[in-house]
């Protein structure tokens, strides 16, 4: 019946790799995928037991100089109230998060030219001074290598920069011509060279994406070897050129999480906000597919709706992490409040 799914999943489980043809089959088949999910869960348990790592997400600004066709905070969206958190506001978010046991703060934002390098460095430095046992992750897009270097010196530990798609023709359908795939990939290699802990990834079901594009994305990740891999379904935003496209599939996202877990057994893989936005009850399935990170939003409540990358973003400001911790527990896992550094084997 589902012999082929089982056979390929076993190969992935044992060899941490398989052929393009097999990946294509797993991504497209209508057969029962239980063997894939089961082995991905087994691998997750072997490496990470039932731990889930928490990261406090702070959306520091929705100002952006770019015009990505899929993204709600693109420059040309004039229906958006723009904001930029102050140093004080960011430190207050960390303070609150820290009190609840968070040990990683992720500062994410648009490519905001008003956020000067020195300001960012100062903020990173202060967070690290104040919360010595914490990690700081940045997710602020494409910058000069020297900026990445200053931020690292200021104390930043990790950097998230999804490559979005490695296929040039697909990239050009998602971005205006002022933007370049080459630059984004260059940034990723610069981050690697500087020895950041690096995260990359892509949207699932972005307009014009093909199975071949997805396989190329997986192969690219095998070359880059990021420690963290974030994927989430594309969701349209009403004020973007892609407003009439359909959301990416939840099932395909879960398949890809399982494939990623088997290809990259040590990877830190979040169950992303976009996945939760399509299905509030997805936590157990996402963790069972191999995800091991959750990023509660600890931004000031009044700004959360303005950081609107896509429609109907789940607004779940974690006043306390109590509910989240309970959901993790009820899914059969336990939250870990360690820094959750990558496993180096
Ligand atoms: N400016 C930063 C952060 C971007 S927002 C950067 O360039 O890295 C973080 C991620 O949200 C993006 O990398 C993209 O993959 C995702 N995203 C943006 N718009 C989206 C949409 N409409 N649906 C789902 N995910 C989206």
């Amino acid at each position: 019946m589902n012999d082929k799914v089982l056979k390929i999943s076993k190969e992935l489980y044992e060899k941490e790799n398989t052929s393009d043809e097999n990946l294509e089959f797993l991504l497209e088949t209508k057969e029962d995928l239980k063997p894939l999910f089961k082995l991905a869960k087994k691998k997750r348990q072997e490496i990470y037991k039932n731990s889930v790592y928490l990261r406090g997400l702070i959306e520091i600004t929705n100002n952006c100089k770019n015009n990505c066709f899929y993204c709600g905070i693109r420059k040309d969206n004039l229906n958006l109230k723009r904001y930029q958190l102050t140093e004080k506001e960011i430190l207050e978010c960390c303070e609150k998060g820290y009190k609840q046991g968070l040990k990683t703060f992720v500062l994410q934002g648009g490519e905001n030219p008003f956020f000067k390098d020195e300001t960012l460095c100062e903020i990173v430095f202060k967070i690290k001074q104040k919360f010595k046992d914490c990690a700081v992750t940045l997710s602020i897009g494409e910058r000069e290598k020297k900026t990445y270097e200053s931020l690292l010196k200021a104390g930043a530990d990790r950097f998230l920069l999804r490559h979005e798609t490695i296929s040039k023709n697909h990239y050009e359908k998602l971005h205006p011509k002022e933007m370049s795939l080459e630059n984004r990939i260059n940034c990723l290699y610069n981050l690697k060279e500087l020895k950041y802990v690096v995260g990359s990834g892509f949207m699932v079901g972005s307009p014009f994406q093909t199975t071949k594009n997805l396989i190329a994305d997986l192969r690219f990740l095998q070359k880059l070897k990021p420690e963290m891999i974030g994927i989430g379904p594309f969701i349209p935003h009403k004020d973007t050129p892609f407003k009439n496209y359909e959301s990416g599939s939840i099932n395909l996202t879960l398949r890809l999480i399982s494939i990623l877990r088997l290809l990259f057994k040590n990877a830190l893989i979040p169950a992303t906000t976009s996945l939760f936005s399509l299905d509030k009850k997805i936590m157990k399935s996402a963790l069972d597919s191999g995800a091991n990170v959750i990023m509660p939003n600890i931004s000031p409540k009044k700004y959360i709706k303005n950081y609107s990358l896509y429609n109907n973003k789940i607004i779940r400001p974690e006043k306390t992490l109590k509910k989240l911790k309970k959901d993790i527990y009820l899914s059969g896992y336990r939250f870990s409040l360690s820094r959750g550094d990558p496993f180096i084997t």
Side-chain angles (χ1 to χ4, degrees), residues 22-69:
N22 286 344
L23 288 173
E24 186 173 337
F25 176 80
L26 286 184
L27 293 172
E28 291 186 346
T29 183
K30 296 206 165 54
E31 283 186 36
D32 185 3
L33 286 160
K34 274 201 202 84
L36 172 69
F37 294 131
K38 219 174 131 192
L39 285 174
K41 179 169 181 182
K42 188 163 178 231
K43 187 67 95 183
R44 179 207 195 290
Q45 301 299 95
E46 277 165 29
I47 312 277
Y48 286 103
K49 314 239 161 19
N50 57 358
S51 299
V52 174
Y53 299 99
L54 300 185
R55 324 290 197 199
L57 175 65
I58 309 173
E59 294 160 338
I60 59 172
T61 177
N62 67 354
N63 271 311
C64 192
K65 66 174 169 55
N66 293 331
N67 249 325
C68 307
F69 299 145

Side-chain angles (χ1 to χ4, degrees), residues 230-247:
I231 63 164
F234 159 77
I235 305 175
H237 184 289
K238 64 178 177 41
D239 300 313
T240 63
F242 288 166
K243 64 178 178 216
N244 293 325
Y245 285 85
E246 269 179 38
S247 293

Side-chain angles (χ1 to χ4, degrees), residues 177-343:
K177 55 181 179 312
E178 312 84 78
M179 296 181 71
S180 102
L181 175 62
E182 207 187 338
N183 191 52
R184 198 151 182 98
I185 303 308
N186 236 330
C187 286
L188 279 165
Y189 282 105
N190 284 339
L191 291 162
K192 271 276 178 190
E193 240 174 77
L194 290 165
K195 304 243 175 313
Y196 271 94
V197 172
V198 171
S200 199
F202 51 87
M203 285 176 287
V204 178
S206 57
F208 313 107
Q209 185 178 62
T210 62
T211 305
K212 292 225 164 24
N213 293 149
L214 285 171
I215 295 169
D217 289 326
L218 297 173
R219 297 301 181 209
F220 168 68
L221 291 171
Q222 286 180 311
K223 263 201 275 170
L224 180 72
K225 299 188 175 50
E227 288 84 359
M228 309 177 282
I229 304 177
I231 63 164
F234 159 77
I235 305 175
H237 184 289
K238 64 178 177 41
D239 300 313
T240 63
F242 288 166
K243 64 178 178 216
N244 293 325
Y245 285 85
E246 269 179 38
S247 293
S249 137
I250 295 178
N251 179 274
L252 183 59
T253 307
L254 296 178
R255 286 183 201 210
L256 277 157
I257 291 178
S258 287
I259 293 172
L260 287 169
R261 173 56 62 214
L262 293 170
L263 289 174
F264 306 89
K265 62 179 181 195
N266 293 329
L268 292 151
I269 302 177
T272 55
T273 311
S274 67
L275 191 56
F276 281 110
S277 296
L278 288 185
D279 180 354
K280 294 188 177 44
K281 299 207 162 71
I282 202 71
M283 183 181 297
K284 183 171 164 49
S285 311
L287 298 175
D288 283 348
S289 304
N292 60 345
V293 172
I294 293 182
M295 299 167 67
N297 195 331
I298 58 167
S299 311
K301 192 173 172 213
K302 63 176 171 186
Y303 298 114
I304 293 185
K305 66 171 182 325
N306 295 327
Y307 195 79
S308 62
L309 305 177
Y310 40 79
N311 291 338
N312 305 320
K313 173 180 147 188
I314 185 169
I315 311 257
R316 195 188 43 184
E318 309 286 347
K319 258 195 234 116
T320 69
L321 298 179
K322 231 174 160 172
K323 165 97 173 58
L324 180 69
K325 290 172 184 172
K326 191 173 157 207
D327 287 349
I328 292 172
Y329 182 76
L330 291 175
S331 303
Y333 294 83
R334 61 177 171 75
F335 60 91
S336 157
L337 292 178
S338 77
R339 271 178 42 137
D341 288 308
F343 259 56

Side-chain angles (χ1 to χ4, degrees), residues 70-71 108-111 139-141 161-162 164 184 203 233-235 307 309-310:
Y70 45 84
C71 184
Q108 187 179 83
E111 283 187 27
S139 176
I140 52 169
L161 186 76
R162 291 186 179 177
E164 314 295 2
R184 198 151 182 98
M203 285 176 287
F234 159 77
I235 305 175
Y307 195 79
L309 305 177
Y310 40 79

Side-chain angles (χ1 to χ4, degrees), residues 119-147:
T119 320
L120 277 169
C121 285
E122 185 100 5
I123 293 170
V124 171
F125 185 77
K126 289 201 175 143
I127 299 175
K128 294 289 291 192
Q129 279 274 304
K130 219 165 162 194
F131 311 103
K132 291 209 162 46
D133 53 343
C134 290
V136 169
T137 305
L138 297 171
S139 176
I140 52 169
E142 298 166 36
R143 308 270 163 156
E144 298 288 326
K145 189 171 183 189
K146 63 176 190 328
T147 301

